[in-house]
Amino acid sequence: MLRGRVVAVHGRRYQVEAEGRLLSCVTRGKRGGVACNDRVELTVTGPEEGVIERILPRDNLLWRSDGQREKLLAANVDLAVVVTAAVPTPREGLLDRCLVAAEAAGVRAVILVNKVDLAQSAAYVERLRPYEALGYPVLALSAKLDVTPLRPWLAGRVSVLVGASGVGKSTLINALVPQARAATAEHSQALDAGRHTTTHTRLYPLPQGGALIDAPGMQEFGLRHLRLSELQAAFPELRGLAGRCRFNDCRHLREPGCAVRAAMEEGRILPARWRVYRDLLRENGHSIH
Ligand SMILES: Nc1nc2c(ncn2[C@@H]2O[C@H](COP(=O)(O)OP(=O)(O)OP(=O)(O)O)[C@@H](O)[C@H]2O)c(=O)[nH]1
Ligand SMILES: [Mg+2]
Ligand SMILES: [Zn+2]
């Protein structure tokens, strides 16, 4: 039995790096459930093939769940780089859902605004500045011009790029990893049609140490697996207000004496963030009065 690490996920086929070899692997039966950067034990079944027998305990797992479908983004990561851009027009709440997934997984997150060479970007960066007070540094750069501001964050870490389709994740990969040659959308038609350029998840070792994971962009980000307490814990702005509401079990929706609603009315909580919180509660079936 070999130990290895999953460096690419193509549906139910996994590329595993084990003792200097690259093996194309499947799981036993129809189990699946293997994430990029999982540490696994495998049996070699051919010159370049293997079967994953076991996933070793994970430090963390970033994933989303819409209805019945579970999408694993990456395991054992040190940093989630949530990539966004003014173009294509961001979908309301998607960035926040990425941040919630990172919080729930216990993964540190930074926000990266790409495409600052575009005129629309300056206002967008300003709109995101308040996220710094929540603990999410906001980096702004252009993958086409200069990725220097991102480098210190990646050094020696395993980081994953998450974000909508078309924000420039693969373009960032190509700028940071010399031999990567990840496919990128060269024309926006593909994006208008809702097509994704990157269709699988892949880990790229960084020349200066550490690694960077590129994943397909998402249009939606369900978090159906999070319970009420987990959702609340994933919003940093709610943490400081715990226990300040009139009711112990306040869900911060329309209850009287709610400290969260009061903070929002005083401008201390972003209404757009609260709406994401409310929507997540609703999607997860926590009844709303
Ligand atoms: N103007 C500008 N365009 C950029 C920049 N970075 C990427 N793009 C363009 O944005 C488009 C999408 O880039 P990709 O790197 O394919 O986006 P992605 O996030 O990997 O998309 P998916 O793989 O579908 O998730 C391409 O046309 C890129 O050339 C940038 O800094 N400035
Ligand atoms: Mg891509
Ligand atoms: Zn409340």
Side-chain angles (χ1 to χ4, degrees), residues 36-256:
C36 189
N37 201 39
D38 256 329
R39 297 179 283 253
V40 296
E41 279 180 352
L42 58 103
T43 310
V44 178
T45 52
E48 290 178 341
E49 290 190 356
V51 173
I52 295 173
E53 304 285 356
R54 197 162 84 86
I55 302 169
L56 296 172
R58 291 166 172 150
D59 298 334
N60 55 51
L61 176 67
L62 269 176
W63 60 299
R64 59 194 176 97
S65 50
D66 331 299
Q68 309 302 326
R69 299 182 59 196
E70 296 181 352
K71 295 261 173 74
L72 308 187
L73 295 171
N76 309 312
V77 295
D78 303 305
L79 182 73
V81 178
V82 181
V83 187
T84 184
V87 180
T89 307
R91 193 179 176 126
E92 164 120 23
L94 190 69
L95 169 84
D96 300 284
R97 287 164 183 260
C98 295
L99 295 172
V100 167
E103 290 281 349
V107 173
R108 187 169 182 194
V110 299
I111 296 170
L112 174 66
V113 185
N114 186 29
K115 311 195 188 185
V116 292
D117 52 301
L118 301 180
Q120 303 93 313
S121 299
Y124 187 52
V125 174
E126 284 322 301
R127 232 178 79 199
L128 293 176
R129 280 290 167 219
Y131 282 79
E132 299 207 305
L134 301 175
Y136 308 116
V138 177
L139 314 179
L141 56 75
S142 165
K144 292 209 164 168
L145 300 178
D146 183 15
V147 291
T148 314
L150 184 57
R151 287 188 196 277
W153 289 94
L154 306 180
R157 292 184 172 132
V158 176
S159 307
V160 57
L161 302 179
V162 290
S165 197
V167 295
K169 297 179 297 298
S170 300
T171 308
L172 284 161
I173 292 277
N174 289 337
L176 290 154
V177 185
Q179 320 84 331
R181 299 223 239 116
T184 59
E186 268 330 310
H187 299 287
S188 50
Q189 294 103 297
L191 298 171
D192 292 339
R195 264 187 278 133
H196 300 225
T197 305
T198 304
T199 53
H200 61 274
T201 307
R202 175 175 294 277
L203 177 140
Y204 297 88
L206 288 166
Q208 64 271 46
L212 193 52
I213 298 170
D214 190 15
M218 66 279 290
Q219 319 277 0
E220 281 177 297
F221 204 118
L223 290 158
R224 298 293 290 267
H225 54 289
L226 296 182
R227 283 176 288 129
L228 179 61
S229 59
E230 293 171 318
L231 269 179
Q232 292 181 339
F235 282 81
E237 59 268 72
L238 299 188
R239 284 183 214 139
L241 296 169
R244 301 262 184 96
C245 302
R246 184 178 306 164
F247 301 114
N248 266 335
D249 60 349
C250 188
R251 282 160 312 164
H252 322 312
L253 297 170
R254 289 194 191 113
E255 293 94 334

